[in-house]
Amino acid sequence: MLLVVLVLLLPTVSDACGDPPRFETMRLQGAPKPRYRPGERIQYDCRLGFKPIIPLRSRSAVCEDDNTWSALEEACTRKSCPNLGDPMNGQVYFVNGSILFGSQAHFVCNQGFYLIGARILHCEISENNVNWNDNSPTCEKILCSTPGNIKNGRFTIYKDEYQYNEIVTYMCDPSNGPDEYSLVGESRLVCVDHDRWSSDPPECKVVKCDYPVVEHGMIVSGFRRKFYYKMQVVFKCNQGFSLHGSSTVVCNANSAWEPEIPTCAQVPLAATTKPSTTHASGPRPNTTTVSSSTGSVPLYPIYIV
C-alpha cells in the first residue's frame, strides 16, 4: 500500500510543462530540464548582440497549474554599433536605415575619387558587445600615371600625373617610306579610374590592302590608287552576273579586306532569255544567206511551220 501511495504522489508526464519557449533575443539560463512541475520558474538572459529593453520587462516564465507556461514576450533588443560618419569626399548608406546589430554600411565615393578599404561594413558581435567588422574606408582623388609611349607615334600633353577625366590624344608620325602610318585603336584616352585609362594605347603602323579585283564586276565607290586602314570599297557586277557576298568591304588592321571580297556569278541563260513569240497561224518565212566577197547574200526563203 505504501508503494502505491508513493507512486500516486509522483508527478506524471501530464502533470508537467513541456519544453521552455524559445525566443529570438533571449536564451534560457542554464541547461533545460526534461520536464517542469507546476509552480517552477525559469529565467532568461539576453543573447549576444542584444540588451534588455528599457523599461525592463520580465525575463522569467512560470509553469502554470494547467501545465502551460505563463505568457512571456521578447524582453531584449538589438545593440547598436558606433555611429559612422560620411567619409571625406564620399557618403555612407545604411541598408536598413540603422546601425543596430546585423546592419550593413555601404560606402561610395564622389565622382573623381576612389575607395580605399572595405566597401561594405557589417555590425557584428565583438567579444561581449557589437562593433563594425572593419575600419571605415577613405576616398582618395583619382589620378592616372603617364600612358604608354607608342612606336612611330606620340601623344599630347606629356605629364607625370593626370586628373580624373583628363584626355590625351595620340597621333602618328610622318612616314619616311612610300606608305603612310595608320593609327589602329583609340586615338583619345581618358583617365577613368585610379591609374586606369579608358583603353590601351593605339598602334601606328602601315596598313595597306591589295587592290581589290572582282572578276565580271567593277568598283562603283571608293576609287583610290592605294587602300589604307578603314578605307571602304563598293562593288557591283556586270550585266548578266549576280553578286555573292557583301557589296561593301573595308580594309582592316591586318591589311585584309573585311568581309571577303565578293564574287560575280553568271546568271543562268534560262533566266535571261525571253520566250519566243508564237504566231497565231501560218508559216513564218526565214531567209538563208551565204557569204561572198561582197557580203552576205540571201539565197531563197525557207518557211518554218
Side-chain angles (χ1 to χ4, degrees):
M1 289 293 294
L2 181 60
L3 182 60
V4 172
V5 171
L6 291 174
V7 170
L8 292 174
L9 291 175
L10 290 173
T12 62
V13 174
S14 61
D15 292 330
C17 287
D19 293 336
R22 295 180 60 83
F23 297 92
E24 178 188 359
T25 66
M26 303 185 299
R27 61 184 178 187
L28 186 68
Q29 283 186 359
K33 296 168 59 176
R35 60 175 180 265
Y36 296 83
R37 295 182 182 181
E40 282 193 83
R41 180 179 295 273
I42 55 175
Q43 192 74 27
Y44 287 86
D45 292 326
C46 291
R47 294 182 184 274
L48 289 175
F50 295 86
K51 63 182 180 180
I53 291 176
I54 304 297
L56 292 175
R57 291 181 186 173
S58 173
R59 297 203 304 272
S60 64
V62 178
C63 180
E64 305 283 7
D65 292 337
D66 60 355
N67 303 322
T68 61
W69 292 103
S70 61
L72 180 61
E73 297 180 356
E74 299 276 4
C76 300
T77 187
R78 296 175 186 271
K79 292 181 178 180
S80 296
C81 275
N83 195 21
L84 293 172
D86 289 335
M88 187 176 294
N89 302 310
Q91 295 85 40
V92 59
Y93 300 95
F94 300 100
V95 173
N96 55 5
S98 77
I99 56 174
L100 298 176
F101 170 55
S103 298
Q104 293 182 13
H106 291 216
F107 291 83
V108 294
C109 292
N110 297 339
Q111 189 175 28
F113 295 83
Y114 71 102
L115 198 75
I116 297 180
R119 187 173 297 276
I120 300 176
L121 299 187
H122 301 266
C123 183
E124 298 179 347
I125 294 171
S126 177
E127 297 180 351
N128 293 326
N129 208 337
V130 294
N131 204 349
W132 299 104
N133 66 320
D134 206 340
N135 295 324
S136 295
T138 58
C139 292
E140 298 293 332
K141 194 171 186 178
I142 289 176
L143 296 172
C144 289
S145 57
T146 307
N149 292 316
I150 60 172
K151 186 179 180 180
N152 304 318
R154 62 194 186 279
F155 61 87
T156 58
I157 317 175
Y158 187 93
K159 298 190 298 184
D160 292 333
E161 201 172 67
Y162 297 80
Q163 306 287 326
Y164 174 71
N165 265 349
E166 196 165 357
I167 298 172
V168 296
T169 303
Y170 283 83
M171 60 196 72
C172 293
D173 297 330
S175 172
N176 295 324
D179 298 308
E180 63 188 55
Y181 291 125
S182 295
L183 191 139
V184 179
E186 296 294 330
S187 61
R188 297 170 73 251
L189 271 63
V190 184
C191 178
V192 295
D193 204 349
H194 175 57
D195 212 13
R196 184 168 71 86
W197 293 94
S198 55
S199 65
D200 292 331
E203 291 181 87
C204 284
K205 63 180 184 178
V206 173
V207 177
K208 182 181 178 183
C209 287
D210 294 334
Y211 193 95
V213 177
V214 174
E215 190 176 1
H216 306 299
M218 64 186 75
I219 297 174
V220 296
S221 176
F223 293 98
R224 290 177 180 86
R225 190 169 61 87
K226 296 180 180 181
F227 296 88
Y228 295 121
Y229 183 51
K230 288 188 176 180
M231 288 185 176
Q232 180 177 289
V233 176
V234 180
F235 300 96
K236 68 176 271 188
C237 292
N238 299 336
Q239 187 174 5
F241 293 83
S242 62
L243 190 80
H244 291 261
S246 175
S247 62
T248 303
V249 295
V250 180
C251 183
N252 68 19
N254 296 322
S255 297
W257 292 105
E258 185 177 355
E260 292 182 357
I261 295 176
T263 59
C264 290
Q266 188 170 16
V267 177
L269 188 62
T272 60
T273 304
K274 293 183 179 180
S276 60
T277 305
T278 303
H279 294 274
S281 61
R284 178 170 57 87
N286 185 25
T287 302
T288 302
T289 62
V290 295
S291 298
S292 67
S293 60
T294 59
S296 297
V297 180
L299 294 179
Y300 52 86
I302 299 175
Y303 288 88
I304 300 174
V305 181

